Amino acid sequence: MSTGTRGMTVASAFAGMRNVAPVVFRAGCPDCRGRFELAASALRLAIGGSSRTTFYSFTCPDCGTAVRKPAGERIVELLTGGGVSTLRLHSTL
C-alpha cells in the first residue's frame, strides 16, 4: 500500500489545475454580426473616470473590425477576474 499521497490535501491536489481550462469570453461583432469566443489576451479593458469612459475592446476575428463596447461594473469584474489586460485612464479634470 502506497502512502505517497497521504499528506496531500484536496487544496494541494487541485492547486496545479487552476489554469487547465483557459478563460474565454463570448463576444459579437456589430459590423459582421459574427459570434465567437475570445481569450483574455484578445481583449483590452480601459477604466475611465465614468461609465462613459469605461469600455473594452477587441478586433473581430471574422472581419478585422476594431470593436469598442461599454463596460459596466459587472463586465469590469468579469474581465479583470479573467485576466484581461487593464488600462486605467486618468481624468483631465
Side-chain angles (χ1 to χ4, degrees), residues 24-40:
V24 292
F25 298 93
R26 289 193 186 113
C29 177
D31 282 9
C32 74
R33 305 256 185 238
R35 311 263 330 137
F36 37 81
E37 291 183 342
L38 296 170

Side-chain angles (χ1 to χ4, degrees), residues 2-75:
S2 172
T3 58
T5 58
R6 228 165 199 219
M8 186 177 284
T9 65
V10 172
S12 65
F14 288 98
M17 295 179 67
R18 279 181 204 173
N19 295 326
V20 170
V23 176
V24 292
F25 298 93
R26 289 193 186 113
C29 177
D31 282 9
C32 74
R33 305 256 185 238
R35 311 263 330 137
F36 37 81
E37 291 183 342
L38 296 170
S41 60
L43 294 154
R44 296 289 176 265
L45 174 64
I47 299 176
S50 72
S51 59
R52 291 187 314 156
T53 57
T54 300
F55 61 90
Y56 65 100
S57 61
F58 59 90
T59 300
C60 175
D62 294 341
C63 72
T65 297
V67 178
R68 179 174 157 165
K69 293 188 174 186
E73 221 175 279
R74 181 70 180 134
I75 300 242

Side-chain angles (χ1 to χ4, degrees), residues 46-50 53 87-93:
I47 299 176
S50 72
T53 57
L87 172 67
R88 296 200 182 270
L89 304 175
H90 297 286
S91 174
T92 56
L93 298 178

